Amino acid sequence: MGKATTMKNSDTHRTQFDHNQPKNDSTSTTIDSRFNQTLKNVQGLLKGRSIPGKVLLTRRLDPADELNLLSPDYRRTQSAHETGTSDRINTILDEDVQNTSKQGNTANVGKLKSSTSDHEIASKEVQRSTIGARATDSARVTKLTKELSGTTVILERLRELAWSGVPPDMRPRTWRLLLGYAPPNSDRREGVLRRKRLEYLDCVSQFYDLPDSERSDDEINMLRQIAVDCPRTVPDVTFFQQEQVQKSLERILYTWAIRHPASGYVQGINDLVTPFLVVFLSEYLEGSTETWSVSTLSSQKISEIEADCYWCLSKLLEGMQDHYTFAQPGIQRLVFKLKELVRRIDEPVSRHIEEQGLEFIQFAFRWFNCLLIREIPFRLVTRLWDTYLAEGDALPDFLVYIYASFLLTWSDELQKLDFQEMVMFLQHLPTQNWSHQELEMVLSRAYMWHSMFNNSPSHLAG
């Protein structure tokens, strides 16, 4: 169904942002003109096409807003009367642009207040979560709060709302539910979490808290490799250099590897634990991760956080087991799909990459292996993972569209580089100054291309 998106035609000029210059009136005017051009491009693309649902196009007025709710409400299913035509899409595009040009939008704020008057608790949480957000975002967060506070959470509805981003204080509950770790029924939730946390403790005692004399040679080597990789995990974030944090990572990874012998430990899985660790620690620690100290938490709290990370990691990897088995065939398959998709969307850059002799596996393997954690600033990772987890079982296929959009962000630059320059560029992508706005652009294009190609494989042929 509908998503509020900022999109661009891959065959037209791509908007570039200069992160090294301070924003001023001239820069703002340039961005406005480029945004209007993007509108025309998208409208031209959509004319004559019939794409399911509504495609809303919006521009963030406050890109620093933590909520980062630019992306659309995502719906995996649709009914016949909800399917829109291209004319309807264009009408919605025009209306939405007019709405986003009005700062303040007091009418919508008034509606929000009246609609939540019967939910005082929810209203307080929304007020904490929507400072600086657009009124339409506030209304959506109100729905998210109401959904989470219900006796039984409707997971499909939660996925729709979470796809566009989840406020930080709601992430722990939302992620546990999206992954199926916490049950939708609130009456059962506390009991299930207590039981699973105790089960994790038993596993640590049984497999980790042992002398090396009771381990096999393979287990000793695996534990040593994990111990080497933990200090290398997200090295630019000082929080992960704390000894206690690295010990928690080590326990989680080793316990997971022992209980999943089909894959065991594979380098890259250590990165996948980090978003869970930060999100579940945020329930107990405030402020920036740079100021966090795990030493302030009791051993019981640390154990519960580790357990949540362990079970959520297990749930995440259930849907992509062949990504981490011998030779990692799942990743190789997705890299091939990525190559074919890029060829169809942007033939010039695809041809240039091929002519230079660069194979997609040389740069995209790490993207699929670590889910872009090493490619974007860590402060943006949890927002990206809101969309990952909202995709559920469909995530592996949707990754192809996200990574195509990510790569083609630099289409113009790539076509000017030779083999060696491309290798260096793709290994050190200029994302260090990215804001949530750039990430939303990537997700928006990914959704558009997914809508166009995923259910029409013939579009990728020939």
Side-chain angles (χ1 to χ4, degrees), residues 6 10 32 58 67 73 110 113 123 138 147 150 184 204 274 281 293-294 325 340 343 351 370 414 456-457:
T6 304
S10 61
D32 285 343
T58 64
L67 291 178
D73 285 347
K113 290 180 179 178
S123 179
S138 300
E147 190 63 46
V204 170
T274 57
L281 276 168
S293 176
V294 179
T325 53
E340 290 301 299
R343 180 182 63 82
R351 184 175 63 251
C370 303
L414 290 171
S456 303

Side-chain angles (χ1 to χ4, degrees), residues 110-320:
K111 292 179 182 178
L112 172 63
K113 290 180 179 178
S114 63
S115 65
T116 57
S117 59
D118 295 332
H119 306 279
E120 294 182 3
I121 297 177
S123 179
K124 291 179 181 179
E125 187 158 9
V126 170
Q127 290 173 7
R128 290 198 304 270
S129 305
T130 59
I131 297 175
R134 292 183 297 121
T136 52
D137 293 340
S138 300
R140 195 178 60 80
V141 173
T142 301
K143 294 178 183 178
L144 182 59
T145 304
K146 183 178 179 181
E147 190 63 46
L148 289 173
S149 61
T151 303
T152 301
V153 174
I154 308 301
L155 290 179
E156 194 60 34
R157 195 179 302 156
L158 183 62
R159 292 187 191 283
E160 296 170 6
L161 297 167
W163 202 100
S164 304
V166 180
D169 57 338
M170 298 184 190
R171 271 199 184 110
R173 288 174 292 160
T174 302
W175 283 20
R176 291 187 191 104
L177 288 162
L178 290 176
L179 285 162
Y181 169 44
N185 190 314
S186 61
D187 293 337
R188 297 182 52 238
R189 202 168 297 153
E190 185 177 344
V192 169
L193 293 180
R194 187 186 308 113
R195 176 172 57 81
K196 300 298 282 186
R197 288 164 177 169
L198 288 174
E199 185 178 343
Y200 169 77
L201 267 181
D202 290 341
C203 290
V204 170
S205 176
Q206 182 179 353
F207 302 120
Y208 181 82
D209 295 333
L210 296 175
D212 283 351
S213 59
E214 296 184 28
R215 305 185 203 273
S216 68
D217 289 343
D218 287 343
E219 290 170 348
I220 291 174
N221 291 334
M222 183 167 62
L223 182 57
R224 286 176 179 171
Q225 183 62 59
I226 291 172
V228 168
D229 286 346
C230 284
R232 301 172 178 172
T233 305
V234 197
D236 54 337
V237 177
T238 57
F239 164 74
F240 289 107
Q241 303 311 306
Q242 295 180 33
E243 184 177 354
Q244 284 182 282
V245 173
Q246 293 180 10
K247 270 299 177 185
S248 289
L249 280 173
E250 186 176 298
R251 278 191 291 269
I252 295 166
L253 291 167
Y254 183 78
T255 304
W256 186 89
I258 290 294
R259 295 198 69 188
H260 296 81
S263 63
Y265 173 70
V266 176
Q267 286 180 302
I269 297 180
N270 54 313
D271 292 271
L272 307 187
V273 180
T274 57
F276 295 125
L277 194 57
V278 166
V279 165
F280 295 133
L281 276 168
S282 70
E283 291 185 288
Y284 306 100
L285 301 175
E286 297 181 348
S288 169
T289 54
E290 299 298 322
T291 65
W292 285 2
S293 176
V294 179
S295 61
T296 61
L297 300 176
S298 66
S299 57
Q300 180 182 349
K301 290 298 182 187
I302 292 174
S303 174
E304 290 177 358
I305 291 165
E306 285 183 19
D308 289 358
C309 293
Y310 170 84
W311 289 113
C312 286
L313 176 69
S314 300
K315 293 289 187 179
L316 174 71
L317 296 184
E318 278 179 9
M320 48 181 80

Side-chain angles (χ1 to χ4, degrees), residues 4-6 35 56-60 69-71 96 100 134:
T5 61
T6 304
F35 179 76
L56 302 182
L57 202 70
T58 64
R59 176 167 60 89
R60 174 171 299 285
L69 301 176
L70 246 178
S71 289
D96 196 60
T100 55
R134 292 183 297 121

Side-chain angles (χ1 to χ4, degrees), residues 343-344 458 460-462:
R343 180 182 63 82
R344 186 61 175 169
S458 60
L460 293 175

